[in-house]
Amino acid sequence: METGSPDDTGTAGATRAADRAGPADQPSPAGSAGPAREEPVWTGLPPGLLRMRRLLLVVWLGLLTLAAGVLPALFLDPLWAALALLPLALLAWGWVMLGRNWRSWRYAERADDLLISRGVLWREETVVPYGRMQLVEVTSGPVERHFGLASVQLHTAAAATDATIPGLDPAEAERLRDRLTELGEARSAGL
């Protein structure tokens, strides 16, 4: 999942190849006047984020299932223990939804901007131009640190375009932070 080395076929390599290729090197689709825009190379999130979220789901809904099953059975009637089926159904539904949500998150580094795409029912794609970035930070809470994860948060002048990429490997998060900071400084110099 590393995308920083020039030898790989990841995003950074594709970006450098696109920078070297001139307009004559890029094919034009039939019927269009300008050069074709290269499709971005998307990078998904590591599976550690899905494991962390599913474990948290099992812990919290497991406690709720236990409380919903044991307490009514002790103080009311044993038939009330059937209330534990509701949190169990919610656990099964949440398990599937977390997997779908995790698969929907991806990001791509292009020559002039960073793309972040997410969402299952409502698809959302955020485009953050490198020249508009003011701050790029890496954060990692106690649970994320336990699972070896970190998040990259991008801050721009407009608060509505702040973006986050959650659940990255800390080394990848730091590489991405350094690269985005470097590209942001280079692009903002022309403003």
Side-chain angles (χ1 to χ4, degrees), residues 91-110:
L91 176 72
W93 178 78
W95 188 274
V96 172
M97 290 298 107
L98 283 174
R100 290 183 65 194
N101 180 271
W102 171 77
R103 281 188 300 276
S104 75
W105 276 88
R106 58 191 186 154
Y107 66 96
E109 299 172 59
R110 295 195 305 186

PDB file of all heavy atoms in Angstrom, residues 91-110:
ATOM      1  N   LEU A  91     -25.925  -5.546  15.904  1.00  0.00           N
ATOM      2  CA  LEU A  91     -24.522  -5.928  15.751  1.00  0.00           C
ATOM      3  C   LEU A  91     -24.267  -6.540  14.376  1.00  0.00           C
ATOM      4  O   LEU A  91     -23.299  -6.180  13.692  1.00  0.00           O
ATOM      5  CB  LEU A  91     -24.122  -6.910  16.849  1.00  0.00           C
ATOM      6  CG  LEU A  91     -22.711  -7.476  16.773  1.00  0.00           C
ATOM      7  CD1 LEU A  91     -21.696  -6.417  17.138  1.00  0.00           C
ATOM      8  CD2 LEU A  91     -22.577  -8.674  17.682  1.00  0.00           C
ATOM      9  N   ALA A  92     -25.138  -7.425  13.944  1.00  0.00           N
ATOM     10  CA  ALA A  92     -24.977  -8.054  12.625  1.00  0.00           C
ATOM     11  C   ALA A  92     -25.093  -7.021  11.511  1.00  0.00           C
ATOM     12  O   ALA A  92     -24.297  -7.021  10.559  1.00  0.00           O
ATOM     13  CB  ALA A  92     -26.018  -9.154  12.439  1.00  0.00           C
ATOM     14  N   TRP A  93     -26.068  -6.131  11.623  1.00  0.00           N
ATOM     15  CA  TRP A  93     -26.254  -5.086  10.610  1.00  0.00           C
ATOM     16  C   TRP A  93     -25.046  -4.141  10.595  1.00  0.00           C
ATOM     17  O   TRP A  93     -24.532  -3.786   9.535  1.00  0.00           O
ATOM     18  CB  TRP A  93     -27.542  -4.315  10.897  1.00  0.00           C
ATOM     19  CG  TRP A  93     -27.796  -3.199   9.946  1.00  0.00           C
ATOM     20  CD1 TRP A  93     -28.276  -3.286   8.678  1.00  0.00           C
ATOM     21  CD2 TRP A  93     -27.578  -1.813  10.191  1.00  0.00           C
ATOM     22  NE1 TRP A  93     -28.375  -2.039   8.117  1.00  0.00           N
ATOM     23  CE2 TRP A  93     -27.947  -1.112   9.033  1.00  0.00           C
ATOM     24  CE3 TRP A  93     -27.105  -1.091  11.289  1.00  0.00           C
ATOM     25  CZ2 TRP A  93     -27.856   0.263   8.924  1.00  0.00           C
ATOM     26  CZ3 TRP A  93     -27.020   0.281  11.193  1.00  0.00           C
ATOM     27  CH2 TRP A  93     -27.388   0.936  10.017  1.00  0.00           C
ATOM     28  N   GLY A  94     -24.577  -3.734  11.793  1.00  0.00           N
ATOM     29  CA  GLY A  94     -23.425  -2.837  11.894  1.00  0.00           C
ATOM     30  C   GLY A  94     -22.159  -3.452  11.341  1.00  0.00           C
ATOM     31  O   GLY A  94     -21.332  -2.777  10.727  1.00  0.00           O
ATOM     32  N   TRP A  95     -21.989  -4.758  11.535  1.00  0.00           N
ATOM     33  CA  TRP A  95     -20.813  -5.474  11.018  1.00  0.00           C
ATOM     34  C   TRP A  95     -20.723  -5.331   9.502  1.00  0.00           C
ATOM     35  O   TRP A  95     -19.676  -5.007   8.951  1.00  0.00           O
ATOM     36  CB  TRP A  95     -20.908  -6.936  11.429  1.00  0.00           C
ATOM     37  CG  TRP A  95     -19.689  -7.746  11.137  1.00  0.00           C
ATOM     38  CD1 TRP A  95     -19.380  -8.378   9.972  1.00  0.00           C
ATOM     39  CD2 TRP A  95     -18.602  -8.007  12.028  1.00  0.00           C
ATOM     40  NE1 TRP A  95     -18.177  -9.024  10.086  1.00  0.00           N
ATOM     41  CE2 TRP A  95     -17.685  -8.815  11.339  1.00  0.00           C
ATOM     42  CE3 TRP A  95     -18.332  -7.643  13.334  1.00  0.00           C
ATOM     43  CZ2 TRP A  95     -16.508  -9.263  11.927  1.00  0.00           C
ATOM     44  CZ3 TRP A  95     -17.166  -8.094  13.909  1.00  0.00           C
ATOM     45  CH2 TRP A  95     -16.263  -8.885  13.222  1.00  0.00           C
ATOM     46  N   VAL A  96     -21.850  -5.545   8.834  1.00  0.00           N
ATOM     47  CA  VAL A  96     -21.900  -5.446   7.371  1.00  0.00           C
ATOM     48  C   VAL A  96     -21.708  -3.996   6.922  1.00  0.00           C
ATOM     49  O   VAL A  96     -20.951  -3.717   5.985  1.00  0.00           O
ATOM     50  CB  VAL A  96     -23.234  -6.019   6.839  1.00  0.00           C
ATOM     51  CG1 VAL A  96     -23.388  -5.751   5.356  1.00  0.00           C
ATOM     52  CG2 VAL A  96     -23.312  -7.506   7.128  1.00  0.00           C
ATOM     53  N   MET A  97     -22.374  -3.063   7.589  1.00  0.00           N
ATOM     54  CA  MET A  97     -22.285  -1.651   7.202  1.00  0.00           C
ATOM     55  C   MET A  97     -20.873  -1.097   7.391  1.00  0.00           C
ATOM     56  O   MET A  97     -20.403  -0.296   6.580  1.00  0.00           O
ATOM     57  CB  MET A  97     -23.282  -0.798   8.001  1.00  0.00           C
ATOM     58  CG  MET A  97     -24.728  -1.025   7.642  1.00  0.00           C
ATOM     59  SD  MET A  97     -25.097  -0.604   5.937  1.00  0.00           S
ATOM     60  CE  MET A  97     -25.306  -2.207   5.218  1.00  0.00           C
ATOM     61  N   LEU A  98     -20.191  -1.510   8.444  1.00  0.00           N
ATOM     62  CA  LEU A  98     -18.812  -1.052   8.646  1.00  0.00           C
ATOM     63  C   LEU A  98     -17.910  -1.533   7.516  1.00  0.00           C
ATOM     64  O   LEU A  98     -17.037  -0.798   7.059  1.00  0.00           O
ATOM     65  CB  LEU A  98     -18.277  -1.531   9.995  1.00  0.00           C
ATOM     66  CG  LEU A  98     -18.768  -0.778  11.220  1.00  0.00           C
ATOM     67  CD1 LEU A  98     -18.280  -1.450  12.492  1.00  0.00           C
ATOM     68  CD2 LEU A  98     -18.345   0.674  11.178  1.00  0.00           C
ATOM     69  N   GLY A  99     -18.128  -2.756   7.052  1.00  0.00           N
ATOM     70  CA  GLY A  99     -17.344  -3.269   5.929  1.00  0.00           C
ATOM     71  C   GLY A  99     -17.590  -2.477   4.657  1.00  0.00           C
ATOM     72  O   GLY A  99     -16.662  -2.137   3.921  1.00  0.00           O
ATOM     73  N   ARG A 100     -18.854  -2.167   4.393  1.00  0.00           N
ATOM     74  CA  ARG A 100     -19.184  -1.383   3.194  1.00  0.00           C
ATOM     75  C   ARG A 100     -18.603   0.025   3.290  1.00  0.00           C
ATOM     76  O   ARG A 100     -18.082   0.559   2.311  1.00  0.00           O
ATOM     77  CB  ARG A 100     -20.698  -1.311   3.009  1.00  0.00           C
ATOM     78  CG  ARG A 100     -21.295  -2.639   2.596  1.00  0.00           C
ATOM     79  CD  ARG A 100     -22.766  -2.540   2.350  1.00  0.00           C
ATOM     80  NE  ARG A 100     -23.010  -1.672   1.200  1.00  0.00           N
ATOM     81  CZ  ARG A 100     -24.196  -1.175   0.898  1.00  0.00           C
ATOM     82  NH1 ARG A 100     -25.236  -1.437   1.646  1.00  0.00           N
ATOM     83  NH2 ARG A 100     -24.345  -0.407  -0.167  1.00  0.00           N
ATOM     84  N   ASN A 101     -18.697   0.629   4.471  1.00  0.00           N
ATOM     85  CA  ASN A 101     -18.156   1.975   4.648  1.00  0.00           C
ATOM     86  C   ASN A 101     -16.642   1.976   4.485  1.00  0.00           C
ATOM     87  O   ASN A 101     -16.083   2.864   3.840  1.00  0.00           O
ATOM     88  CB  ASN A 101     -18.547   2.533   6.014  1.00  0.00           C
ATOM     89  CG  ASN A 101     -18.005   3.920   6.232  1.00  0.00           C
ATOM     90  OD1 ASN A 101     -16.893   4.094   6.734  1.00  0.00           O
ATOM     91  ND2 ASN A 101     -18.783   4.904   5.848  1.00  0.00           N
ATOM     92  N   TRP A 102     -15.962   0.992   5.052  1.00  0.00           N
ATOM     93  CA  TRP A 102     -14.499   0.917   4.945  1.00  0.00           C
ATOM     94  C   TRP A 102     -14.071   0.781   3.483  1.00  0.00           C
ATOM     95  O   TRP A 102     -13.111   1.425   3.042  1.00  0.00           O
ATOM     96  CB  TRP A 102     -13.993  -0.264   5.774  1.00  0.00           C
ATOM     97  CG  TRP A 102     -12.549  -0.558   5.571  1.00  0.00           C
ATOM     98  CD1 TRP A 102     -11.488   0.134   6.084  1.00  0.00           C
ATOM     99  CD2 TRP A 102     -11.998  -1.610   4.776  1.00  0.00           C
ATOM    100  NE1 TRP A 102     -10.310  -0.434   5.664  1.00  0.00           N
ATOM    101  CE2 TRP A 102     -10.601  -1.504   4.859  1.00  0.00           C
ATOM    102  CE3 TRP A 102     -12.551  -2.625   4.009  1.00  0.00           C
ATOM    103  CZ2 TRP A 102      -9.748  -2.383   4.209  1.00  0.00           C
ATOM    104  CZ3 TRP A 102     -11.708  -3.502   3.362  1.00  0.00           C
ATOM    105  CH2 TRP A 102     -10.318  -3.371   3.471  1.00  0.00           C
ATOM    106  N   ARG A 103     -14.778  -0.053   2.713  1.00  0.00           N
ATOM    107  CA  ARG A 103     -14.434  -0.222   1.299  1.00  0.00           C
ATOM    108  C   ARG A 103     -14.691   1.041   0.485  1.00  0.00           C
ATOM    109  O   ARG A 103     -14.083   1.232  -0.563  1.00  0.00           O
ATOM    110  CB  ARG A 103     -15.224  -1.396   0.700  1.00  0.00           C
ATOM    111  CG  ARG A 103     -14.647  -2.739   1.057  1.00  0.00           C
ATOM    112  CD  ARG A 103     -15.320  -3.863   0.291  1.00  0.00           C
ATOM    113  NE  ARG A 103     -16.749  -3.968   0.542  1.00  0.00           N
ATOM    114  CZ  ARG A 103     -17.297  -4.611   1.564  1.00  0.00           C
ATOM    115  NH1 ARG A 103     -16.526  -5.199   2.443  1.00  0.00           N
ATOM    116  NH2 ARG A 103     -18.603  -4.666   1.700  1.00  0.00           N
ATOM    117  N   SER A 104     -15.578   1.911   0.949  1.00  0.00           N
ATOM    118  CA  SER A 104     -15.898   3.112   0.174  1.00  0.00           C
ATOM    119  C   SER A 104     -14.834   4.206   0.310  1.00  0.00           C
ATOM    120  O   SER A 104     -14.746   5.084  -0.537  1.00  0.00           O
ATOM    121  CB  SER A 104     -17.258   3.676   0.596  1.00  0.00           C
ATOM    122  OG  SER A 104     -17.176   4.340   1.849  1.00  0.00           O
ATOM    123  N   TRP A 105     -14.023   4.192   1.365  1.00  0.00           N
ATOM    124  CA  TRP A 105     -13.002   5.218   1.580  1.00  0.00           C
ATOM    125  C   TRP A 105     -11.800   4.961   0.687  1.00  0.00           C
ATOM    126  O   TRP A 105     -11.273   3.843   0.639  1.00  0.00           O
ATOM    127  CB  TRP A 105     -12.519   5.216   3.029  1.00  0.00           C
ATOM    128  CG  TRP A 105     -13.375   5.995   3.951  1.00  0.00           C
ATOM    129  CD1 TRP A 105     -14.465   5.552   4.621  1.00  0.00           C
ATOM    130  CD2 TRP A 105     -13.197   7.360   4.324  1.00  0.00           C
ATOM    131  NE1 TRP A 105     -14.981   6.553   5.380  1.00  0.00           N
ATOM    132  CE2 TRP A 105     -14.229   7.678   5.228  1.00  0.00           C
ATOM    133  CE3 TRP A 105     -12.275   8.343   3.977  1.00  0.00           C
ATOM    134  CZ2 TRP A 105     -14.367   8.932   5.794  1.00  0.00           C
ATOM    135  CZ3 TRP A 105     -12.408   9.598   4.543  1.00  0.00           C
ATOM    136  CH2 TRP A 105     -13.433   9.889   5.431  1.00  0.00           C
ATOM    137  N   ARG A 106     -11.337   5.999  -0.003  1.00  0.00           N
ATOM    138  CA  ARG A 106     -10.117   5.920  -0.816  1.00  0.00           C
ATOM    139  C   ARG A 106      -9.614   7.333  -1.076  1.00  0.00           C
ATOM    140  O   ARG A 106     -10.349   8.296  -0.922  1.00  0.00           O
ATOM    141  CB  ARG A 106     -10.385   5.179  -2.122  1.00  0.00           C
ATOM    142  CG  ARG A 106     -11.473   5.800  -2.953  1.00  0.00           C
ATOM    143  CD  ARG A 106     -11.902   4.913  -4.080  1.00  0.00           C
ATOM    144  NE  ARG A 106     -12.848   5.648  -4.921  1.00  0.00           N
ATOM    145  CZ  ARG A 106     -13.051   5.426  -6.179  1.00  0.00           C
ATOM    146  NH1 ARG A 106     -12.408   4.470  -6.788  1.00  0.00           N
ATOM    147  NH2 ARG A 106     -13.917   6.131  -6.857  1.00  0.00           N
ATOM    148  N   TYR A 107      -8.343   7.413  -1.435  1.00  0.00           N
ATOM    149  CA  TYR A 107      -7.761   8.721  -1.754  1.00  0.00           C
ATOM    150  C   TYR A 107      -6.789   8.560  -2.915  1.00  0.00           C
ATOM    151  O   TYR A 107      -6.299   7.470  -3.188  1.00  0.00           O
ATOM    152  CB  TYR A 107      -7.072   9.343  -0.533  1.00  0.00           C
ATOM    153  CG  TYR A 107      -5.858   8.597  -0.039  1.00  0.00           C
ATOM    154  CD1 TYR A 107      -4.576   8.975  -0.433  1.00  0.00           C
ATOM    155  CD2 TYR A 107      -5.980   7.515   0.816  1.00  0.00           C
ATOM    156  CE1 TYR A 107      -3.457   8.295   0.015  1.00  0.00           C
ATOM    157  CE2 TYR A 107      -4.876   6.827   1.271  1.00  0.00           C
ATOM    158  CZ  TYR A 107      -3.621   7.224   0.877  1.00  0.00           C
ATOM    159  OH  TYR A 107      -2.514   6.546   1.320  1.00  0.00           O
ATOM    160  N   ALA A 108      -6.563   9.672  -3.607  1.00  0.00           N
ATOM    161  CA  ALA A 108      -5.655   9.661  -4.752  1.00  0.00           C
ATOM    162  C   ALA A 108      -4.888  10.974  -4.782  1.00  0.00           C
ATOM    163  O   ALA A 108      -5.473  12.047  -4.625  1.00  0.00           O
ATOM    164  CB  ALA A 108      -6.425   9.472  -6.055  1.00  0.00           C
ATOM    165  N   GLU A 109      -3.590  10.882  -4.996  1.00  0.00           N
ATOM    166  CA  GLU A 109      -2.751  12.069  -5.160  1.00  0.00           C
ATOM    167  C   GLU A 109      -2.620  12.331  -6.658  1.00  0.00           C
ATOM    168  O   GLU A 109      -2.187  11.457  -7.402  1.00  0.00           O
ATOM    169  CB  GLU A 109      -1.369  11.826  -4.566  1.00  0.00           C
ATOM    170  CG  GLU A 109      -1.380  11.519  -3.088  1.00  0.00           C
ATOM    171  CD  GLU A 109      -0.017  11.089  -2.599  1.00  0.00           C
ATOM    172  OE1 GLU A 109       0.939  11.869  -2.747  1.00  0.00           O
ATOM    173  OE2 GLU A 109       0.084   9.958  -2.118  1.00  0.00           O
ATOM    174  N   ARG A 110      -3.010  13.520  -7.075  1.00  0.00           N
ATOM    175  CA  ARG A 110      -2.837  13.898  -8.473  1.00  0.00           C
ATOM    176  C   ARG A 110      -1.785  15.001  -8.541  1.00  0.00           C
ATOM    177  O   ARG A 110      -1.221  15.406  -7.530  1.00  0.00           O
ATOM    178  CB  ARG A 110      -4.167  14.379  -9.067  1.00  0.00           C
ATOM    179  CG  ARG A 110      -5.198  13.279  -9.133  1.00  0.00           C
ATOM    180  CD  ARG A 110      -6.365  13.607 -10.014  1.00  0.00           C
ATOM    181  NE  ARG A 110      -7.012  14.857  -9.636  1.00  0.00           N
ATOM    182  CZ  ARG A 110      -8.125  15.309 -10.189  1.00  0.00           C
ATOM    183  NH1 ARG A 110      -8.728  14.631 -11.127  1.00  0.00           N
ATOM    184  NH2 ARG A 110      -8.660  16.452  -9.801  1.00  0.00           N
TER     185      ARG A 110
END
